[in-house]
Each structure stands twice: as structure tokens, then as C-alpha cells.
Amino acid sequence: MFVALASYAAFVDAGLKDGKGEKALDMMAYLKKTCDPEQFKMLLHYKQKGQLLMLCDGLDECSHVKEPIQRYIAGVLQSQMARTVVSSRLAGFSDDFFADNGFRFVQLELCTAETQKLTAKWRMSSEEPSRFCQLLTDQPILSAYATTPLTLSLLIQLFKSKRLQDAEASVGMNRGMLYESGVLHMLSFKKEQTEVAQPDKYQPIGRDFKGEVWSFLEVLALDLHTRGNRDFTAADVERLGYSELWARLEPHIVTYSIPVLMRLEVDLTTAAITRSATTTPQGHTSAADVPRYMFRFIHLTVSL
């Protein structure tokens, strides 16, 4: 059974606020609430037979309830299931409660060096792949970033646009700076380079617009941080009072991100951009008039 721990964490958080105590962590109660009744009966059947495998994904996304969730998974849940697998980005992982409860730590490299080379060869032309791979060799930190599909795609895109051509240009580049370069590249990305451009929704990108974008991202980041979440929709943007800006910015995000990710041949959920079946009528330009997506804020740096 696959469990998205970000959703489970929201369920736990609500239960704790309602005063349910340890009962708020009951995984089967969560599954009963979120699963189809027939599916839940099947889960109960295999749980009772000791044949239920739990795949708990995204420990790093559990926000402020991560500690009780870790304790529950390592203790109660592990004792009830045939086997429990927990995934997490390294940045959000700790051995608390796991090392002493029979869990074995395995570090996975999603995009190996060979995968990086093949992807670069496929996405680039002439001598670009060899120079890109040499850059990764010269800058081990970039090679480490390139182990995830999204960041590998972003690095290739920046390299092709000559924003990341040599080791000197990338010295000291941390993940935050990498994403910042990606945003700036996205805002200057030529709409003619993709078939999904919507010319009537584009406006010249000047310094003022970039300033608006940075201010919006700061407000959005702090709002998500306060709510212990990273996912947001157009409704959240409207709540924060940035609907007009979003109507201008969202086409750039869709035009830039989706073709890049599709060319990498990874599911869009790898970058946490999932398309909803809901569309809205055509009309005046507003945040409500574009296809509905859920977006994820993937990097947050707070300076105190």
C-alpha cells in the first residue's frame, strides 16, 4: 500500500489539534478515510494475514509532525505490517526511532553518472554533452544535484542557455542559487521555443515584473512555511492577493516547465506538477482562466 506521508501528516495534524492524542496517528483510520470501502476491506484482509507491505513516501514532507510520525512508523506500524518501507530526501531524514527498530538504511542514486551522460547526449547536440559532463566532473556539488530528474533537467537547460558553461560560473552555486537561475531563465524563455505558448497572455519581462515575482515568491514561501506545506494552487495565490500577477506569471511556468519535464520522460509528479481534469471556460485573462494545476514550492531559504 502506497501512502503519501504529506497527506497522512495533514491527517495526523488535524487529529492532534482535535485532541485525539496517539489515536491521531492510526494509519488504518487514515486509510479507511481516504480509500474506497472495497479497497479498505482488501487492505484489512491482507493486514490480518500479515501480508501487507507499506510504502511510506516523503518523510521529509511531514513538517512539524515528523517526530511523532517517525516514532509511530518505527514502532506501532512496523509491528503490524509484513514490512514497512520509508522514503525521504536526505535533507529531511534522521535515524531517530528507525536505527533501533530493525530498519536498514539504503541511499539511492536516482540518476547515476551513466544516466546523466545518456540524458545529456539525448538532450544536447554536437560537443555539448562532453562539456556538460566535464562540468559535472569538475564540480562534484553539481553532480550531486544532478542525481534527481528535476535538477538534472534544470542543469541541462541552464547549460544549453549558456548560463552555466564553465566551472568558474558555477563555483559556490548552492541549490538555492540554482533554482534562482532557473526562475530567471524561465522568465526570459522565448515563447517561440514551445508549441504550448499563449502569445496573448505574454507581456515583456522587465525589471519591474521580476521584482514583483521575487516579492510574490517571498510571500508565498513564508505562507507555505507557516502552514507546514509546500503545495499550492491558484486559490492560494488569490487568497494572498496576487491573482493579477499570477495571471501573467502562470503561462511562463507552464510553457517552461512542462515541455522540459516531458522531454526528460519523467512523470510530471516527479516535479510535483499534476494536471487536474478540471478546466474553466474561456474568457478574460485571470488566474481562474488557465488550466488548473497544483504546484510545489521546492526550495525555501529563510535568512534571519
Side-chain angles (χ1 to χ4, degrees), residues 182-184 186-188 198 201-203 205 209-210 212-217 220 232 237 242-257 285-287 290 295 297:
V183 171
L184 292 173
M186 177 189 73
L187 294 178
S188 62
Q198 304 174 55
K201 293 187 177 182
Y202 279 81
Q203 296 182 8
I205 303 300
F209 182 55
K210 290 180 181 179
E212 289 183 78
V213 171
W214 293 128
S215 297
F216 160 65
L217 291 177
L220 176 63
F232 68 95
V237 176
Y242 285 91
S243 295
E244 188 276 332
L245 174 63
W246 184 255
R248 290 184 285 148
L249 177 61
E250 200 267 0
H252 289 276
I253 297 175
V254 175
T255 299
Y256 181 76
S257 302
T285 301
S286 73
V290 294
F295 299 89
F297 203 105

Side-chain angles (χ1 to χ4, degrees), residues 130 137 223 294:
S130 60
T137 300
D223 176 70
M294 176 173 288

Side-chain angles (χ1 to χ4, degrees), residues 121-169:
K121 185 177 181 180
W122 178 47
R123 292 277 303 280
M124 298 176 175
S125 58
S126 65
E127 299 179 355
E128 282 186 322
S130 60
R131 290 192 289 112
F132 177 74
C133 293
Q134 185 60 50
L135 176 63
L136 297 186
T137 300
D138 295 340
Q139 292 293 321
I141 188 64
L142 296 184
S143 182
Y145 294 158
T147 57
T148 64
L150 171 62
T151 313
L152 173 60
S153 181
L154 179 57
L155 284 168
I156 290 175
Q157 199 72 10
L158 292 175
F159 186 87
K160 290 174 65 176
S161 66
K162 303 187 185 304
R163 292 171 179 261
L164 197 70
Q165 283 288 329
D166 52 47
E168 183 177 349

Side-chain angles (χ1 to χ4, degrees), residues 91-144:
F93 173 80
S94 70
D95 254 345
D96 297 344
F97 314 114
F98 287 114
D100 298 330
N101 287 276
F103 278 79
R104 184 165 62 93
F105 174 74
V106 178
Q107 184 174 349
L108 300 179
E109 187 178 15
L110 297 179
C111 294
T112 62
E114 186 62 26
T115 301
Q116 295 170 16
K117 291 178 182 178
L118 290 174
T119 305
K121 185 177 181 180
W122 178 47
R123 292 277 303 280
M124 298 176 175
S125 58
S126 65
E127 299 179 355
E128 282 186 322
S130 60
R131 290 192 289 112
F132 177 74
C133 293
Q134 185 60 50
L135 176 63
L136 297 186
T137 300
D138 295 340
Q139 292 293 321
I141 188 64
L142 296 184
S143 182

Side-chain angles (χ1 to χ4, degrees), residues 17-235:
K17 289 178 179 177
D18 288 341
K20 294 181 179 179
E22 293 297 318
K23 291 183 179 179
L25 293 154
D26 188 346
M27 180 67 76
M28 296 308 293
Y30 166 75
L31 294 176
K32 184 176 182 179
K33 181 178 180 179
T34 56
C35 291
D36 175 83
E38 291 301 315
Q39 184 184 37
F40 183 69
K41 287 181 182 179
M42 180 182 67
L43 294 176
L44 278 179
H45 171 74
Y46 284 106
K47 176 177 179 289
Q48 292 166 359
K49 293 183 66 176
Q51 297 178 349
L52 188 57
L53 168 64
M54 298 298 294
L55 305 176
C56 303
D57 177 58
L59 182 65
D60 56 301
E61 299 176 20
C62 290
S63 187
H64 60 284
V65 293
K66 183 168 72 172
E67 182 175 327
I69 287 176
Q70 283 181 280
R71 187 187 304 111
Y72 174 80
I73 292 175
V76 177
L77 190 67
Q78 170 72 350
S79 66
Q80 294 177 347
M81 305 300 168
R83 178 167 294 184
T84 303
V85 178
V86 182
S87 72
S88 173
R89 290 181 178 85
L90 285 176
F93 173 80
S94 70
D95 254 345
D96 297 344
F97 314 114
F98 287 114
D100 298 330
N101 287 276
F103 278 79
R104 184 165 62 93
F105 174 74
V106 178
Q107 184 174 349
L108 300 179
E109 187 178 15
L110 297 179
C111 294
T112 62
E114 186 62 26
T115 301
Q116 295 170 16
K117 291 178 182 178
L118 290 174
T119 305
K121 185 177 181 180
W122 178 47
R123 292 277 303 280
M124 298 176 175
S125 58
S126 65
E127 299 179 355
E128 282 186 322
S130 60
R131 290 192 289 112
F132 177 74
C133 293
Q134 185 60 50
L135 176 63
L136 297 186
T137 300
D138 295 340
Q139 292 293 321
I141 188 64
L142 296 184
S143 182
Y145 294 158
T147 57
T148 64
L150 171 62
T151 313
L152 173 60
S153 181
L154 179 57
L155 284 168
I156 290 175
Q157 199 72 10
L158 292 175
F159 186 87
K160 290 174 65 176
S161 66
K162 303 187 185 304
R163 292 171 179 261
L164 197 70
Q165 283 288 329
D166 52 47
E168 183 177 349
S170 61
V171 169
M173 176 171 280
N174 56 34
R175 196 179 295 271
M177 295 168 64
L178 176 62
Y179 292 144
E180 179 179 329
S181 297
V183 171
L184 292 173
H185 184 226
M186 177 189 73
L187 294 178
S188 62
F189 192 64
K190 294 180 180 179
K191 59 180 180 295
E192 293 83 5
Q193 292 180 261
T194 174
E195 294 181 357
V196 299
Q198 304 174 55
D200 59 316
K201 293 187 177 182
Y202 279 81
Q203 296 182 8
I205 303 300
R207 181 175 299 176
D208 290 343
F209 182 55
K210 290 180 181 179
E212 289 183 78
V213 171
W214 293 128
S215 297
F216 160 65
L217 291 177
E218 180 179 356
V219 171
L220 176 63
L222 293 176
D223 176 70
L224 293 172
H225 180 67
T226 300
R227 294 190 289 118
N229 195 7
R230 292 193 299 163
D231 298 332
F232 68 95
T233 64

